[in-house]
């Protein structure tokens, strides 16, 4: 039903991933592979582009109003896909999830307050925390059976008393980890014990590989709703990140009022095209998402199997997302050498591990959301770049 193998040329389209690659990495889009920025190489479901086409055909592009259809699409999706009943009045729309986190920082913390991150983690979190003059408090993830886990005992012993917020990436970027119910429950209890607000970034929660299950935080820990903020969006799942449209869902009325005051202070209003496209995605995208997740799991298998042929290189097993976290430390190479082989040898742009915080050294993050022929090409290039090890 869906042709994810189609090669779509995104060069020269103002694509951040392709058109900024040479300036950032020195890799020309003419012969390089862009596997860094976290968006996909696939068209969204046809209904999404049809909604945009209808708006363009109408030809009047004023301010967006009447969010009833939009919120109904969100609540319907969350109920049937995740078993999560969302109150429409709890939903606020922001210019993306990072902007939503920035508003949370201003609403619920003060300059100098500590914000806990489980590192390595999505690099924009630390950037926006620092830009708002809050302190990043890193809690390094630990490896358990080859996957990341939280060490809440170590974190408890390291707290200084100025921490006010925890930001959880669920599923985890870059590790591809889908947290289980017990882990989520333990974190919620930790936040209650230490009087911390919990912000759960679940932007990847629809990108779950077959055989795994994502549990929304409100279902894992329903008694933490008085200190919970949920960040969700259609943008990652349906490849419409350019619409910069996200949801901040806050079950507790008092927290919602505080967030609303900070949100209004930004002076922003919804992106018309983002609202229309998100509504269409959630209203019609079930079959497309199911097919996409199966395809992404296949890409991960091809990529991981290919990397297994390179001694000292290991891909973390993926339970969700399309972001592959690859450990090069077993090669014994310095960062400059293995990164150079990937970039100058294989002509592949991947995200540098240290940008993700403590635990990122020795790693690169590869975006696997591209047609499988390109995944196979990436494997061929990487094996050639490290051929002397094989």
């Amino acid at each position: 039903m869906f042709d994810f193998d189609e090669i779509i040329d995104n060069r020269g389209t103002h694509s951040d991933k392709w058109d900024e690659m040479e300036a950032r990495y020195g890799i020309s889009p003419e012969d390089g592979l862009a596997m860094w920025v976290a968006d996909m190489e696939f068209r969204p479901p046809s209904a999404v582009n049809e909604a945009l086409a209808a708006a363009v055909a109408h030809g009047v592009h004023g301010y967006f109003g009447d969010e009833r259809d939009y919120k109904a699409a969100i609540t319907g999706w969350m109920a049937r896909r995740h078993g999560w009943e969302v109150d429409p009045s709890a939903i606020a729309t922001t210019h993306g999830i990072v902007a939503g986190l920035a508003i949370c920082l201003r609403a619920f913390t003060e300059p100098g307050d500590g914000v806990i991150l489980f590192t390595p983690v999505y690099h924009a979190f630390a950037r926006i925390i620092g830009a708002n003059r809050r302190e990043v408090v890193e809690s390094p993830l630990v490896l358990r059976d080859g996957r990341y886990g939280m060490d809440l005992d170590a974190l408890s012993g390291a707290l200084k008393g100025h921490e006010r917020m925890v930001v959880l990436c669920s599923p985890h970027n870059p590790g591809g980890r889908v947290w289980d119910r017990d882990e989520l429950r333990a974190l919620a209890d930790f936040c209650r014990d230490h009087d911390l607000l919990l912000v759960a970034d679940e932007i990847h929660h629809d990108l779950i590989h077959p055989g795994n299950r994502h549990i929304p935080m409100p279902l894992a820990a329903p008694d933490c709703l008085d200190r919970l903020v949920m960040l969700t969006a259609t943008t990652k799942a349906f490849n419409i990140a350019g619409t910069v449209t996200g949801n901040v869902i806050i079950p507790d009325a008092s927290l919602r009022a505080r967030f609303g005051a900070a949100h209004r202070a930004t002076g922003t209003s919804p992106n018309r095209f983002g609202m229309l496209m998100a509504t269409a995605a959630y209203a019609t995208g079930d079959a497309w998402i199911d097919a996409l997740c199966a395809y992404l799991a296949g890409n991960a298998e091809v990529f991981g199997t290919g990397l297994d042929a390179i001694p000292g290189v290991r891909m973390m097993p993926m339970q969700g997302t399309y972001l592959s976290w690859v450990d090069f430390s077993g090669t014994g190479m310095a960062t400059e050498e293995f990164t150079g082989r990937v970039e100058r040898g294989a002509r592949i742009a991947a995200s540098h591990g240290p940008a993700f915080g403590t635990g990122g050294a020795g790693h690169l993050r590869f975006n696997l959301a591209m047609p499988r022929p390109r995944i196979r090409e990436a494997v061929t290039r990487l094996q050639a770049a490290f051929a002397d090890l094989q």
Side-chain angles (χ1 to χ4, degrees), residues 108 188 192 195-198 221-229 250-256 258:
F108 305 122
R192 181 167 297 284
D195 194 20
L196 299 166
L197 185 78
L198 175 56
D223 57 345
C224 79
L225 302 186
D226 61 336
R227 63 182 63 248
L228 178 64
V229 175
I250 306 178
D252 183 78
S254 62
L255 291 179
R256 196 156 64 235
R258 290 170 63 185

Side-chain angles (χ1 to χ4, degrees), residues 1-328:
M1 294 175 61
F2 310 105
D3 184 9
F4 296 114
D5 282 334
E6 179 187 4
I7 303 292
I8 302 170
D9 188 356
N10 288 315
R11 297 170 300 177
T13 63
H14 300 283
S15 164
D16 188 17
K17 184 197 296 183
W18 288 94
D19 295 333
E20 296 294 328
M21 180 168 62
E22 188 162 18
R24 178 74 175 267
Y25 289 91
I27 300 174
S28 170
E30 296 304 315
D31 67 348
L33 285 177
M35 301 181 75
W36 59 300
V37 175
D39 56 25
M40 299 193 282
E41 297 291 297
F42 312 125
R43 292 189 179 93
S46 57
V48 174
N49 283 338
E50 289 165 3
L52 181 59
V56 172
H58 178 69
V60 178
H61 310 303
Y63 292 111
F64 185 84
D66 189 356
E67 297 185 0
R68 285 175 296 178
D69 289 346
Y70 171 73
K71 290 187 174 182
I74 296 171
T75 58
W77 181 268
M78 298 304 177
R80 70 179 181 272
R81 302 291 300 190
H82 298 286
W84 175 26
E85 299 293 334
V86 176
D87 178 357
S89 68
I91 304 170
T93 302
T94 60
H95 283 274
I97 292 306
V98 176
L101 174 58
I103 297 169
C104 288
L105 292 169
R106 295 169 194 166
F108 305 122
T109 68
E110 298 294 334
D113 284 348
V115 180
I116 298 166
L117 298 179
F118 297 101
T119 57
V121 73
Y122 178 44
H123 47 76
F125 290 163
R127 185 184 74 241
I128 205 69
I129 291 167
N132 280 278
R133 295 186 296 134
R134 277 66 172 171
E135 180 185 346
V136 173
V137 177
E138 292 189 329
S139 178
L141 295 168
V142 295
L143 282 174
R144 296 176 182 142
D145 299 323
R147 292 189 172 94
Y148 281 138
M150 292 175 272
D151 190 345
L152 298 179
D153 289 337
L155 175 59
S156 181
L159 294 179
K160 298 178 180 177
H162 72 309
E163 299 86 357
R164 298 290 178 266
M165 179 185 291
V166 172
V167 180
L168 175 70
C169 195
S170 177
H172 182 256
N173 167 13
R177 180 69 210 283
V178 176
W179 309 108
D180 65 35
R181 187 183 297 273
D182 289 343
E183 290 170 308
L184 297 172
R185 175 73 259 174
L187 177 60
D189 290 343
F190 179 90
C191 290
R192 181 167 297 284
D193 291 344
H194 295 279
D195 194 20
L196 299 166
L197 185 78
L198 175 56
V199 178
D201 169 19
E202 299 196 5
I203 196 171
H204 294 276
H205 69 181
D206 293 310
L207 300 171
I208 307 301
H209 296 192
N212 298 280
R213 183 190 173 202
H214 170 80
I215 303 172
M217 182 58 80
L219 300 187
D223 57 345
C224 79
L225 302 186
D226 61 336
R227 63 182 63 248
L228 178 64
V229 175
M230 296 286 290
L231 307 180
T232 72
T234 54
T235 49
K236 292 297 183 195
F238 294 98
N239 200 31
I240 51 177
T243 66
V244 197
T245 299
N247 309 310
V248 178
I249 303 175
I250 306 178
D252 183 78
S254 62
L255 291 179
R256 196 156 64 235
R258 290 170 63 185
F259 178 88
H263 191 190
R264 288 189 295 274
T266 68
T268 56
S269 58
N271 175 332
R272 163 177 282 275
F273 302 113
M275 301 292 274
L276 296 172
M277 294 167 74
T279 301
Y282 272 158
T284 66
D286 297 72
W288 188 89
I289 282 287
D290 290 339
L292 171 70
C293 289
Y295 191 88
L296 293 174
N299 278 1
E301 181 177 3
V302 169
F303 194 67
T305 300
L307 293 185
D308 284 343
I310 306 174
V313 178
R314 182 180 62 86
M315 184 185 90
M316 186 169 284
M318 295 175 65
Q319 297 174 306
T321 84
Y322 50 72
L323 302 168
S324 171
W325 191 233
V326 180
D327 184 358
F328 289 82

